[in-house]
Amino acid sequence: MHSTPKVFIISLINASKRRKHMSSLLDKYSIDYEFIDAVNGKALSDMEIENIYDSESSRFFFGRDMSRSEIGCALSQILAYKTIIQEKLSGAIILEDDCAFSSNFKEVATHIHQQADPSEPAVILFQHHRYYAPLWCKKIIKDHKLCSIKQVWSNASGAYGYYVTQQAAKSLINYHVKIPHVIDYWDRMIRKNIINLYCIVPYCVGIADIGKHSQITDRPTDENPQGKLWKPWYRGLEQQLANILKVLSCLLYTSPSPRDRQKSR
């Protein structure tokens, strides 16, 4: 096993500026990387969408259908999982093409890769995650901790910077045979025992200036309510209860967001 994990970067094939940005970052750290050609969801046919996407599940969980770009994003991440298995890697880091790194990114990545158990379905967020509890944290290097994320206070989202073991890659592929929801609905996957979720505190993968304008442009918004549907009433109550428990559990233990960090400087 290599001491430093391989990195897979999800990027549209014509995103030359973003690819150049990521290449310059990773070349600086002398890290082995490979671009995964992202799936353009807008180019998928209706038949392709029907074969790979579970609309009923998405409406149940989110009260709306996924956009085509969200479906393309999910398929792109799944391609990365499949590549991890095909290349027989014990684990790898998956990034989107608009990331920024902390100065000790490579050191943290190397430690995680060397210590991770390939047989555990572990997903480790290198990106920012706000809620954690010190009871489930352990120090790894210098000021960094590895914290286990529990579903009751998770509220975890985002898939722009994380580590995946081989077993997690297999579990995620099996779970997404027909895509039931957005790819970063980590809460649901914790609840279903698909993965064990962890985060690095403080985080070491952020969003660069080049990522201010998302390439996913067709998500339903307040100005575009066509995708909105009502959730079942009991789903609303369940979410409210989860929010109350999250606040009670983690009121004292939060990781500063990028905005919070800037204010403290």
Side-chain angles (χ1 to χ4, degrees):
M1 181 177 76
H2 295 292
S3 60
T4 304
K6 185 170 183 177
V7 171
F8 293 101
I9 308 159
I10 295 172
S11 178
L12 290 170
I13 196 168
N14 60 349
S16 56
K17 186 175 180 180
R18 287 173 175 245
R19 290 191 174 209
K20 183 178 180 180
H21 162 74
M22 292 304 298
S23 292
S24 64
L25 278 180
L26 291 162
D27 287 341
K28 175 183 174 182
Y29 286 96
S30 300
I31 293 176
D32 183 23
Y33 64 90
E34 178 181 334
F35 284 101
I36 301 289
D37 293 339
V39 176
N40 185 350
K42 297 175 186 177
L44 297 172
S45 68
D46 290 342
M47 183 172 292
E48 286 174 314
I49 295 288
E50 185 177 348
N51 289 334
I52 59 177
Y53 165 58
D54 186 347
S55 175
E56 184 176 340
S57 290
S58 179
R59 292 177 181 223
F60 177 79
F61 290 123
F62 290 102
R64 66 168 176 85
D65 273 311
M66 290 171 63
S67 71
R68 286 178 179 267
S69 289
E70 288 172 329
I71 294 171
C73 178
L75 291 173
S76 302
Q77 300 277 342
I78 292 167
L79 279 176
Y81 304 152
K82 290 180 176 178
T83 306
I84 290 171
I85 294 170
Q86 290 167 0
E87 296 190 9
K88 298 180 180 179
L89 302 175
S90 60
I93 291 176
I94 298 174
L95 302 173
E96 293 187 351
D97 61 3
D98 53 1
C99 291
F101 300 151
S102 67
S103 59
N104 56 355
F105 165 76
K106 183 175 180 179
E107 187 178 2
V108 174
T110 300
H111 179 91
I112 291 297
H113 187 54
Q114 291 176 344
Q115 298 299 318
D117 179 359
S119 64
E120 180 192 358
V123 171
I124 302 171
L125 303 181
F126 278 54
Q127 65 204 35
H128 178 253
H129 175 70
R130 190 167 186 83
Y131 298 100
Y132 70 96
L135 182 62
W136 286 282
C137 292
K138 64 178 181 180
K139 187 174 181 179
I140 47 175
I141 61 164
K142 296 181 180 177
D143 297 325
H144 287 277
K145 297 176 288 188
L146 176 67
C147 302
S148 177
I149 301 175
K150 307 301 180 183
Q151 190 277 327
V152 68
W153 62 68
S154 167
N155 200 29
S157 64
Y160 59 88
Y162 61 105
Y163 181 91
V164 180
T165 63
Q166 182 169 123
Q167 185 56 52
K170 292 176 180 177
S171 298
L172 289 166
I173 289 170
N174 291 335
Y175 179 68
H176 290 96
V177 169
K178 201 162 188 181
I179 300 167
H181 49 65
V182 290
I183 197 70
D184 60 348
Y185 187 14
W186 303 117
D187 284 9
R188 174 67 180 172
M189 290 179 269
I190 300 171
R191 190 183 307 133
K192 295 287 289 182
N193 294 317
I194 306 301
I195 60 167
N196 297 329
L197 189 64
Y198 304 85
C199 65
I200 303 295
V201 179
Y203 65 96
C204 49
V205 173
I207 301 294
D209 289 342
I210 199 172
K212 286 182 178 178
H213 301 288
S214 174
Q215 293 182 308
I216 299 178
T217 58
D218 58 345
R219 291 173 175 155
T221 65
D222 290 338
E223 290 72 35
N224 175 27
Q226 300 302 316
K228 287 190 173 182
L229 297 168
W230 288 105
K231 293 183 180 181
W233 63 271
Y234 51 86
R235 294 291 296 169
L237 290 178
E238 179 183 289
Q239 185 61 53
Q240 290 300 320
L241 178 60
N243 288 338
I244 292 170
L245 290 172
K246 177 181 68 180
V247 171
L248 291 176
S249 300
C250 297
L251 189 60
L252 299 179
Y253 309 110
T254 60
S255 174
S257 68
R259 186 177 301 172
D260 295 334
R261 282 187 172 183
Q262 290 174 357
K263 288 180 180 178
S264 65
R265 288 177 179 173

